[in-house]
Amino acid sequence: MSEIEILSWARGPGLQIATVIFVAGVVIRIFEILLLGRKANLAEAKGSEMSSGLKTMITRTVPDKTTFKRSSVTIVAGYVFHIGMFISFFFFAPHILFFKDLIGISWPSLPGAVIDACAVISIIALLAVLVNRLTNKVMRFLTNFEDLLTWFLTFLPLITGYFAFHRIGFTAPSLLAAHLLSVELLLVVFPFTKLMHTFTLFLARWYNGAISGYRGVES
Amino acid sequence: MSATIEKGINALKRQVDSSVAAFFSSCVHCGICAEACLFYTETGDAKRTPINKTEPLRRIWKSEYTLFGRVGKMFGLTRKVTDEMLEEWQELVYDSCTLCGRCSMVCPVGNDIALMIRKTREGMAAAGQAPEGLIGATTRSVTIGSPMGVKWPALAAQIRHVEEDSGLKVPVDQSDVDYMLLLSSMEIMNFPEFIEAMAKIFDKAGVSWTISSEAFEATNSGIQIGVSDIAAELVQRIVDVADKLRVKTVISPECGHAYMAIRWDGPNLVGKPFGFKVRHVLEVLDDLHKQGRLKLAGKDTQRLTYHDPCQISRRGGVIDEPRNLINLFADNFVEMPDGGKMNWCCGAGGGVSANERADEIRLKVFDRKKAQLEEVKPDAIISACSNCRIHLEDGLEEHNMDIPLLSLTETIAEYLSDE
Amino acid sequence: MTKDKNLKNGAPEQVNLEKGTPVKGTLGEALRSQGVSRRSFMKFCATTASMMALPPAMIPTIARALENARRPSVIWLSFQECTGCTESLTRAHTSTVESLIFDSISLDYHHTLQAAAGHGAEEAREVAMEENYGNYLLVVDGSIPLDNPGYSTIAGISNLDMLNEAAKGAAAIIAVGTCATYGGIPHANPNPTGAVSVKDIIKDKPIINVPGCPPIPVVITGVLAHFLTFGSLPELDHIGRPKAFYGQSIHDRCYRRPFYDKGQFAETFDDEGAKKGWCLFKLGCKGPTTYNACATTKWNNGTSFPIESGHPCIGCSEPDFWDGGGFYKALSMPTVDLSQTAAYAAAGAAAAGVAIGLMNRSKKNTSNKIHVKTTLEDLKK
Amino acid sequence: MNPAETPQFNIHAGNEFTWNVKPILHEIRHALQRFLDNGETSIIDLRSIPLAPGEEESIIETLGRGEVQARLDVLGASEIYETKYTGVWLVTHYNDSDSIVSRFIEVTEMPDVLKSQREDVVHALNALVTELGTDKT
């Protein structure tokens, strides 16, 4: 297979396979979670479940002061990586075209230099995340194979994207194909790993907010 | 003698609902919960990271309720929950967790880890992996009616003393009253002043109230050990009496988990909404003050601080009320760092104080509170949970720190206006 | 990709054209005999250097080499093709200089260009092959059908047979155009003739690929000039293309690149962005993945190239460019209808999800059913 | 179409379009410096550098015209002139149909192609001898 053939495969059938696994996996997982159901609370409410749940979905994004102080490395590295990745993922013109093709809507892109900077920052932050994971006592204790796998699979698209952007080492079709394939790999494992938190964290936060809010506590 | 691992696993299966599934699906192993847990911060022992305590429940969720886990189970790839495993986790689930819920407040993906640990205890208890101390307390609750083995005659004697001291009548088994007061064994045995304080306050406020001779115990060991069936039985006793006496409101006393048990878990345990209201005593006092029926006189100039009992503030929603009340008499009130919903636990809740095996670690994790108190340097500490109060006194004594512990209700009673 | 055994690390073996001298005399002698002055020769050398994308410092070396170059015999075979490549070559703008290069080779067979026809033409080929066996250059344009030899024949000889036969005595093969190099349009899905490229058939000769649909004429002549000058194949990339011309992508040399970097794109062919000359990436430009010299060498007397005239690059010098999901589909877009795929997957998964969800519920219900009320007795094992 | 309605396509962007104009001018400056310091000559192939429409013209405009200009008639025309910066020459080769086939900037005292070439001089001598026949006075 030539690199152009691999690229064509990655842009076509490969993407199709990955999308089917990703979409089906995520939908099944969400159904799996929601259909388990939750008993209605019979205690007299002190606050609203719904509004508090919705609020926590957003407010939990910001850590409280003491938590920030105690876990600053984890939080800063995590946030920088997530934000950097978010920006380079959603605001790079070629990516926007991908979304446009997929969902029919598009939005303004950011200049290449900004995307590049975000990707670099994100890569550095992700490396910091790994170092932190391996050196922080608690994280090292909690870390299992899945954590390392998902780290690696998240790192791959970033690094291949960076290489493709700067055309380092290989020809553009090879780099582009590598980038696409790495994304496809990420999509395939996504529904079966902790990467699902991308979606389920909103459910989790809602439940957390609802449980607390029902008792009149902001969480 | 019929606890089995199968029963334990079955109990864990029953605990998984959509919230638990969403929580486990979201955990990214960031470890932030550890930094919110005094059992980690004070021991530095990574295995006490809150989310790790839920491992038995996680394994059941993964292998029974996820597609990938089900497939894995077919090939024998999932990690099993065994007796040995649960035995290893006992110390984490019971001795190293007060269900204070601080972890639930900091988890960036929003996992209610305290709830997950509470659910894990259901499986542990059903598998016969609950600590001796808690089994004992639970047995006494069911058979005698109180975890400390307090029976009605003991309370009746305390009531007589109170009546003699105060000259006020303590109504017993009165029907159609506004309030039915519950008490914790700890108050009956160690702080009977509480009963006197309530008698004075209610007298001034002019409301009708009663204590039941059949169901006076507010605490609920079933909650702490993690056996909903037993917890429901204990709640049912109160419900039956409250219904019989046709009381409007049942008052949970100064006890954290008692409030959780009767106010928030109660209706869910017995499976139907209550025909009466349940309020914490601080809510009642705050309410009476707002109605103008609670009038205070005089000021306390001491440097006072308030220790939030976790189940009352963070898990119970009674946060503003104690502060409203304290401000009625305190001239020099200082908040503890992280006060309110983020307060650090005293280290003895959630059944830890009933579990003798945990005595050592309980005193070890008190270091957190000690450091806070050294920072605030209060003349006295106010709290609203007898269990917190006893443990705080215990811890302070251990470190030769002389800071008196005050009950908020009792202090209010002291500042009652004579008008 | 099968690796040609004669290609080591993409660099071809030295082709020795010195051994035999198909046509007598060196190029220098030939030019002088035509009355070409030294000044003219210097101009020719400077232009050749520029054409071969060699640094000007190489001009004296080129001059020396060209002076002593031997005139090779060239046999040009055209298979499944459209004659676009020959058209491109014959319309090369540097007519004077290029004609010099053509004058310096002996084009012994090219059935489109040669005067002879029919048996005479084929005879010329056979004679040239025989006389220069082992030394002639074989130029091929067009792909070779493998499904049925009858799809394309010349004088009753199938393309495959003619290629095999002609390749035997060739010193090296130049595959001209995307058809000969990678199968090109005949090879495009569903490839009705079973078309393949030269390198798919010939494994034991150095092959130099000059892809493009058509290739830039000076690239063809540049490669010939390199032969003449150095008697060897130029340095090739991993898919057999001379690095001098195919070393950088259109994107990397495109004058519109700054717009790409700034995120300024033409969205349609007639919007403000298009008028302002912004990047054509969104209109499907394949410049980023296409390696060719268009952006610097340009076309039509160096006048312009597709992007300069407002059309995205279609990537014609890359393998399978016809199957790349559409010329006007941006490179970062999937080549398939992904939203439909996603919709079907979601619908199917929703059904499966409900089924799995119900299984989970029934499992939980069973747990609840077999649960016996826990009493004090049950707290110990 | 009314001229006013003719769409204006601004594909000829400004000077600093590819950011290659300034660097080339600087390269010429450095070459001139080297030429002064140690006599090293340089040639820049303008066709090997990606330039936007108008940029080549912009470079040539900047360099301007100096004192010397020559027109060669070799395989089509060639135009050679010294720019207003002495020592910097612009060499443009055309083909038969007056299209530019190559273009160089040379930093030297005189581009080699201008000089009379030894082979041509030999050829010239022979031609002159032939012209003069046997008359050897």
Side-chain angles (χ1 to χ4, degrees), chain D residues 33-134:
Chain D
Q33 183 70 51
R34 283 199 304 274
F35 182 57
L36 262 187
D37 292 349
N38 50 29
E40 185 190 333
T41 61
S42 311
I43 306 176
I44 297 166
D45 181 356
L46 278 177
R47 288 296 158 94
S48 68
I49 297 152
L51 290 170
E55 289 190 332
E56 192 172 295
E57 288 77 0
S58 155
I59 292 168
I60 290 165
E61 206 176 297
T62 310
L63 293 175
R65 270 178 180 269
E67 295 163 335
V68 184
Q69 37 194 306
R71 192 176 161 82
L72 276 58
D73 189 15
V74 280
L75 295 172
S78 286
E79 192 193 17
I80 297 169
Y81 65 82
E82 193 174 34
T83 67
K84 70 181 180 195
Y85 302 99
T86 309
V88 180
W89 298 76
L90 185 74
V91 179
T92 311
H93 295 305
Y94 296 88
N95 64 11
D96 287 349
S97 43
D98 283 337
S99 300
I100 297 173
V101 292
S102 55
R103 189 169 237 175
F104 302 91
I105 287 168
E106 294 199 27
V107 177
T108 175
E109 51 200 358
M110 191 211 277
D112 281 344
V113 75
L114 268 185
K115 295 179 189 159
S116 296
Q117 305 293 312
R118 192 167 171 82
E119 287 97 328
D120 293 343
V121 175
V122 171
H123 188 72
L125 177 61
N126 290 339
L128 194 57
V129 167
T130 310
E131 174 70 31
L132 296 176
T134 50

Side-chain angles (χ1 to χ4, degrees), chain C residues 32-377:
Chain C
R32 266 193 297 282
S33 71
Q34 285 170 37
V36 174
S37 72
R38 182 70 189 174
R39 262 204 196 96
S40 302
F41 184 66
M42 285 174 74
K43 172 174 175 175
F44 168 60
C45 291
T47 303
T48 303
S50 177
M51 208 158 68
M52 288 193 286
L54 291 171
M58 289 282 285
I59 294 173
T61 318
I62 293 164
R64 236 181 349 266
L66 277 180
E67 182 91 310
N68 299 313
R70 308 277 169 174
R71 301 179 65 206
S73 164
V74 173
I75 294 173
W76 185 304
L77 301 178
S78 297
F79 299 141
Q80 289 193 133
E81 45 83 48
C82 66
T83 319
C85 299
T86 300
E87 285 284 341
S88 170
L89 184 64
T90 53
R91 273 155 222 277
H93 65 285
T94 54
S95 53
T96 324
V97 178
E98 227 126 70
S99 67
L100 271 185
I101 289 174
F102 268 97
D103 288 346
S104 55
I105 62 169
S106 171
L107 187 55
D108 293 325
Y109 178 81
H110 186 306
H111 67 209
T112 311
L113 297 180
Q114 71 194 134
H119 293 295
E122 298 311 307
E123 238 176 74
R125 176 173 57 82
E126 280 157 21
V127 169
M129 278 163 57
E130 200 176 315
E131 281 183 359
N132 303 303
Y133 191 84
N135 296 306
Y136 58 84
L137 272 181
L138 181 63
V139 180
V140 179
D141 68 335
S143 63
I144 302 96
L146 291 186
D147 273 5
N148 183 336
Y151 283 142
S152 176
T153 61
I154 299 163
I157 305 166
S158 75
N159 291 169
L160 179 64
D161 290 346
M162 189 177 279
L163 176 63
N164 275 326
E165 202 195 333
K168 264 181 219 156
I173 301 173
I174 304 178
V176 167
T178 305
C179 297
T181 51
Y182 309 123
I185 294 172
H187 178 76
N189 193 32
N191 190 1
T193 65
V196 297
S197 70
V198 174
K199 72 169 181 342
D200 289 333
I201 294 166
I202 307 299
K203 304 290 184 188
D204 56 354
K205 294 283 171 184
I207 298 172
I208 172 166
N209 284 334
V210 184
C213 193
I216 303 173
V218 298
V219 174
I220 306 177
T221 48
V223 169
L224 284 173
H226 196 284
F227 258 104
L228 284 170
T229 317
F230 303 112
S232 65
L233 294 181
E235 198 191 342
L236 305 180
D237 71 2
H238 65 292
I239 47 174
R241 302 177 294 198
K243 277 188 179 167
F245 302 104
Y246 298 92
Q248 275 175 304
S249 71
I250 302 290
H251 186 64
D252 287 337
R253 310 229 92 189
C254 181
Y255 76 95
R256 296 197 190 205
R257 175 67 185 270
F259 289 125
Y260 174 87
D261 292 336
K262 277 186 263 181
Q264 292 175 312
F265 299 96
E267 307 278 343
T268 65
F269 281 102
D270 57 355
D271 69 356
E272 275 308 303
K275 286 174 190 168
K276 285 178 181 160
W278 287 356
C279 178
L280 301 169
F281 182 87
K282 288 190 175 181
L283 291 169
C285 187
K286 303 296 182 291
T289 53
T290 305
Y291 287 74
N292 208 336
C294 305
T296 40
T297 307
K298 304 195 179 176
W299 292 76
N300 299 329
N301 298 355
T303 307
S304 175
F305 72 113
I307 292 171
E308 192 171 336
S309 26
H311 192 281
C313 168
I314 63 171
C316 74
S317 58
E318 293 293 329
D320 294 325
F321 77 99
W322 204 262
D323 296 326
F327 293 159
Y328 304 103
K329 200 151 194 186
L331 207 50
S332 60
M333 285 182 171
T335 56
V336 287
D337 188 348
L338 215 52
S339 43
Q340 199 186 47
T341 306
Y344 284 149
V354 170
I356 293 168
L358 292 177
M359 273 158 71
N360 282 346
R361 281 191 92 115
S362 88
K363 178 181 271 185
K364 201 174 154 184
N365 286 339
T366 312
S367 295
N368 284 333
K369 240 178 262 168
I370 63 171
H371 170 74
V372 185
K373 197 172 170 188
T374 313
T375 64
L376 284 178
E377 288 298 294

Side-chain angles (χ1 to χ4, degrees), chain A residues 34-109:
Chain A
L34 292 178
L35 284 180
L36 273 170
R38 182 168 155 264
K39 278 188 188 148
N41 198 337
L42 301 172
E44 180 204 350
K46 196 173 180 179
S48 152
E49 272 198 333
M50 186 50 80
S51 66
S52 173
L54 293 175
K55 208 168 146 193
T56 301
M57 278 165 76
I58 297 153
T59 55
R60 195 47 77 90
T61 312
V62 185
D64 71 274
K65 225 166 45 190
T66 308
T67 303
F68 182 78
K69 238 185 274 170
R70 295 194 65 96
S71 310
S72 47
V73 177
T74 308
I75 292 168
V76 170
Y79 268 78
V80 170
F81 140 64
H82 274 94
I83 293 167
M85 191 178 66
F86 183 88
I87 293 174
S88 32
F89 184 48
F90 284 109
F91 293 98
F92 185 40
H95 295 169
I96 296 172
L97 285 180
F98 180 88
F99 297 123
K100 189 185 175 188
D101 197 60
L102 194 63
I103 51 177
I105 50 167
S106 69
W107 49 89
S109 63

Side-chain angles (χ1 to χ4, degrees), chain B residues 2 15 86 107-108 124-125 127 149 151 186 195 199 241 247-248 266 269-270 275 285 287 296 320 387 397 411 419:
Chain B
S2 65
Q15 291 304 315
L86 293 185
C107 175
M124 299 287 289
K151 292 183 182 173
M186 211 106 55
I195 306 170
V241 168
V247 298
K248 288 197 189 102
L269 287 167
V270 302
L285 296 182
D287 206 35
L296 268 59
D320 296 337
N387 194 50
E397 197 184 308
T411 314
E419 286 168 36

Side-chain angles (χ1 to χ4, degrees), chain B residues 1-3 7 10 13-14 16-17 64-65 67 70 83 127-128 132 135 139 142-143 227 229-230, chain C residues 356 358-361 363-381:
Chain B
M1 312 295 140
S2 65
K7 279 191 179 176
N10 197 57
K13 281 191 200 171
R14 296 179 68 215
V16 178
D17 65 4
E64 303 294 332
Y65 297 108
L67 179 61
R70 276 161 170 261
D83 262 324
E132 284 299 327
I135 293 177
T139 309
V142 175
T143 54
V227 180
D229 289 338
I230 292 174
Chain C
I356 293 168
L358 292 177
M359 273 158 71
N360 282 346
R361 281 191 92 115
K363 178 181 271 185
K364 201 174 154 184
N365 286 339
T366 312
S367 295
N368 284 333
K369 240 178 262 168
I370 63 171
H371 170 74
V372 185
K373 197 172 170 188
T374 313
T375 64
L376 284 178
E377 288 298 294
D378 299 323
L379 294 180
K380 289 200 175 187
K381 33 178 40 176

Side-chain angles (χ1 to χ4, degrees), chain B residues 184-198:
Chain B
S184 72
S185 306
M186 211 106 55
E187 282 158 336
I188 300 166
M189 301 308 293
N190 301 324
F191 309 116
E193 303 85 347
F194 178 77
I195 306 170
E196 189 177 338
M198 289 311 293

